[in-house]
Amino acid sequence: MATTLSIRELSEHVDRLAPGHRLCAGCAAPMIVRLVLNAIDEPVVVVNATGCLEVSTTIYPYTSWRVPWMHNAFENAAATIAGIESMYRSLVRQGKLPERNVKFVAFGGDGGTYDIGLQALSGAMERGHQFLYICYDNEGYMNTGIQRSSATPLGANTTTSPVGKVSFGKAQPRKDLAAIAVAHDIPYVAQASPHRWKDLMQKVRKGVAANGPAFLNVLASCNRGWRQEPSETIETSRLAVETCYWPLFEVEHGDWKLNYVPRQKLPVEEWLKTQGRFKHLFTPENRHVIDEIQAEVDRRWEKLLRLAEEAPRSPRPTPASK
Ligand SMILES: Cc1ncc(C[n+]2csc(CCOP(=O)(O)OP(=O)(O)O)c2C)c(N)n1
């Protein structure tokens, strides 16, 4: 029977990601993985794209995963989980495996999801496999030394969008991957943040219960790449949501719903100033980039409000308390 999402009950769960892995102190990825796997009561099979999460949890001959887990390559996590799901259903049909309500989950970083694995993800979503794909979005290729990805925000300093005399950092805003997933007309797409843990876990439950593909994009602060203290992970995540840089929403069969509206929408610089990767923007010559980031945040937020307003079963939520 499904447990409720109470801290007390959850504290009695055995974590399906064991401690002792080599992810950095303050990394949001293992927090996200523990929340995800704790939200699922059923047996689960996990596939991992290449990236920090994969290399740091499976240093040969050890593994932190207490569930069946597979790494294939960087570009094909979604194809791999789709293949496992199909194989499982085939073996059940042939009577070779008992029918159990197995859940199929893939984790990928933003490099493995927005960029390198996007073709495999698009294919698996289009074919209608029953799986939940979770992007832990730390907004860069962090495992190989903080290169920019298409999820990196405008103005961020990375090793391949370095700040200097002729560059203010990344020249393009981030790709809207959730909207791309929605365009596949799949049953469930959502965006979440680790500081709203219950919202995240509820979204995982909806995702694995969906009758088809589900996609969840989770903001995953990276203290090495974002240039901040390990202790600031949760506060930075909160500010990303309070500034509407990272809105919390879900889209069920194309029906957009906002899950949280800040009481007071904070200026995006409240989020930017928590991170050294944006430090150079707070100079007179680069100030215009902050204005551009704010304009982009405002434009996307207004669009989201319209989408949620227009959706037939999505009344606009009243301002939520913390
Ligand atoms: C096809 C391919 N290209 C490049 C690499 C090298 N590589 C390994 S991990 C990684 C970065 C992964 O970035 P992301 O998916 O964002 O995950 P993160 O490391 O940030 O968790 C890269 C470029 C690879 N293993 N395979």
Side-chain angles (χ1 to χ4, degrees), residues 113-147:
T113 309
Y114 283 66
D115 298 340
I116 296 180
L118 184 59
Q119 180 175 323
L121 176 59
S122 176
M125 291 194 292
E126 186 272 332
R127 291 191 303 275
H129 292 276
Q130 199 151 4
F131 71 112
L132 169 63
Y133 191 105
I134 295 175
C135 177
Y136 66 100
D137 184 352
N138 56 26
E139 305 194 316
Y141 291 78
M142 300 312 189
N143 182 58
T144 36
I146 318 169
Q147 291 86 29

